[in-house]
Amino acid sequence: MAVIDINWNPTTRELRQFAGMVLAFFGVVGAVLLYNEVSPAIPYTIWAVSGTIGLLGLVAPRAIKYVYVGWICAAFPIGWTISHLLLGAIFYLVMTPIGLLVRAFGHDPMHRRFDPDLDTYWVARKPVEDHAHYFRQF
């Protein structure tokens, strides 16, 4: 089960948003390259290609469907890898040490210790008298 699926049939709105982002992103990339005194042919080529794709996408979004799908297919493995690495790092570098510290200090927030003297582990709760509480759970 993937968190993000590849959208093989993007809507017209998604294609227009993609076209606008192509124009904005590669416009900035070209400007930065031109500012850093890279050969002027490189920023002009980037602007020409992205301008063609971007303007075509804004005018006739369906014309850039395959560019969009290709871009998403190229970016999907990168996003999958980065998200799994980040989730793994957060789990092993943040959650695991917290869990180990909680166990080291003997705290049991879920009350999972075995107690042979108890008949049941049922926790008695007071019944809720105000039923409007069910609509305000948090």
Side-chain angles (χ1 to χ4, degrees):
M1 180 175 96
V3 176
I4 299 174
D5 292 324
I6 294 175
N7 185 4
W8 298 103
N9 295 309
T11 64
T12 303
R13 180 176 183 216
E14 290 171 332
L15 291 171
R16 279 203 175 107
Q17 287 174 346
F18 174 71
M21 286 188 275
V22 165
L23 280 173
F25 178 75
F26 287 109
V28 171
V29 167
V32 168
L33 289 175
L34 194 62
Y35 178 76
N36 288 330
E37 298 177 5
V38 177
S39 171
I42 295 172
Y44 292 145
T45 304
I46 290 173
W47 285 336
V49 172
S50 65
T52 302
I53 293 171
L55 292 175
L56 183 63
L58 291 174
V59 174
R62 287 283 154 206
I64 65 164
K65 175 184 176 185
Y66 295 110
V67 175
Y68 172 85
V69 170
W71 188 277
I72 296 300
C73 287
F76 181 78
I78 298 168
W80 186 90
T81 303
I82 296 299
S83 66
H84 281 76
L85 288 175
L86 281 174
L87 287 173
I90 289 170
F91 180 78
Y92 287 111
L93 298 176
V94 176
M95 302 306 288
T96 301
I98 290 172
L100 291 173
L101 284 172
V102 167
R103 286 183 185 177
F105 288 110
H107 184 64
D108 185 19
M110 291 178 59
H111 308 290
R112 296 180 299 162
R113 291 204 175 99
F114 179 70
D115 188 358
D117 296 332
L118 291 177
D119 293 333
T120 181
Y121 287 98
W122 183 267
V123 177
R125 301 278 186 222
K126 237 177 29 175
V128 176
E129 294 178 13
D130 181 20
H131 295 293
H133 171 74
Y134 292 122
F135 296 104
R136 296 177 280 112
Q137 295 183 17
F138 301 105

